[in-house]
Amino acid sequence: MANSARLRLPPSSCRRLPVPTNFLPARAVAAGTCQWRRLPASPHCLRAADAARQLDYVESSSHAAAEEDEEDQPPRLRIAIVGFGNYGQFLARTFVAQGHTVLAHSRSDYSSAAASIGATFFPDPHDLCECHPDVVLLATSILSAEAVVLSLPVHRLRRDTLFVDVLSVKEFPKKLLLENLPDDFDIICTHPMFGPESARDGWAGLPFVFDRVRVGDSPARRARAQAFLDIFAREGCRMVEMP
């Protein structure tokens, strides 16, 4: 009897529970019955977002400024000065001050003088040439120039090395370098018409005579030659190019 009996409740006592709003049917959502309320962002989140945006702006600005500074900076050269006497040291001080790397070689030991300037001295010319300088600057006396050039192990240098002289007589070093250097080497003959005494207050306005004897046609070689000449132009020298 109990098993066959069914409990029947009157219809009025069976109430349907309300459907949660987040489970409304799609048609109700489409009809606009389901409206979500957006909570206001926490002030801490806003401040964190603002700080992140400011940090991104500062970092991007710093990066852009660093790139502009790098573009404004002249190329850095590795300059080997052969003949590191009084005049060679005089030039080396300005080269180092402009941020170039200076390597030095001479018959006498000028290691202490080179260290005081910020240069590196090499007693052996083989060690000097194996450093592969961009520029080899001949700053010897006129009498010893030929012997020094012939003694240099130029085969240890890169085949496109730039040779520069600062001797006061132009025809002699020009002929000397053209006859004794490999054809791939670039050559610029120069005559700075000043010295340690006349330029003790700076190089501004002092004449610098130069002759691009032989410079390769590639953009890199032209840029390197110009970068060396710009050392003197940046100091305010009056640049005089020989025809």
Side-chain angles (χ1 to χ4, degrees), residues 85-94 192-203 206:
N86 188 36
Y87 199 78
Q89 295 174 32
F90 161 70
L91 296 175
R93 292 185 185 92
T94 298
M193 301 182 70
F194 51 87
E197 293 299 323
S198 58
R200 60 180 177 272
D201 296 327
W203 299 1
L206 299 176

Side-chain angles (χ1 to χ4, degrees), residues 24-168:
L24 288 176
R27 64 178 178 273
V29 175
T33 59
C34 181
Q35 296 181 356
W36 295 92
R37 185 174 61 184
R38 186 181 184 89
L39 295 177
S42 169
H44 298 292
C45 295
L46 292 175
R47 285 195 294 268
D50 291 341
R53 284 194 293 269
Q54 291 176 2
L55 182 59
D56 290 341
Y57 175 76
V58 171
E59 289 181 348
S60 61
S61 300
S62 301
H63 184 65
E67 289 182 346
E68 290 180 359
D69 290 342
E70 289 180 359
E71 291 178 357
D72 293 339
Q73 292 296 326
R76 299 291 188 257
L77 299 174
R78 292 172 60 86
I79 305 173
I81 300 179
V82 178
F84 204 64
N86 188 36
Y87 199 78
Q89 295 174 32
F90 161 70
L91 296 175
R93 292 185 185 92
T94 298
F95 295 168
V96 172
Q98 288 195 13
H100 302 286
T101 300
V102 174
L103 316 173
H105 167 69
S106 196
R107 291 177 299 178
S108 302
D109 184 5
Y110 288 113
S111 54
S112 298
S116 66
I117 295 172
T120 304
F121 186 80
F122 293 87
D124 192 325
H126 289 261
D127 296 333
L128 177 79
C129 293
E130 286 179 353
C131 291
H132 295 161
D134 302 304
V135 180
V136 176
L137 179 65
L138 188 63
T140 65
S141 66
I142 296 176
L143 295 178
S144 62
E146 183 175 5
V148 170
V149 170
L150 294 177
S151 68
L152 289 177
V154 294
H155 61 281
R156 295 184 181 273
L157 296 168
R158 288 197 300 262
R159 290 191 299 273
D160 63 346
T161 302
L162 170 60
F163 257 77
V164 181
D165 84 282
V166 290
L167 305 182
S168 58

Side-chain angles (χ1 to χ4, degrees), residues 170-190:
K170 289 300 97 193
E171 289 301 322
F172 168 70
K174 179 178 180 178
K175 181 180 179 182
L176 174 67
L177 297 178
L178 285 173
E179 290 181 352
N180 293 282
L181 293 180
D183 293 338
D184 292 332
F185 281 25
D186 291 340
I187 299 172
I188 297 180
C189 290
T190 75

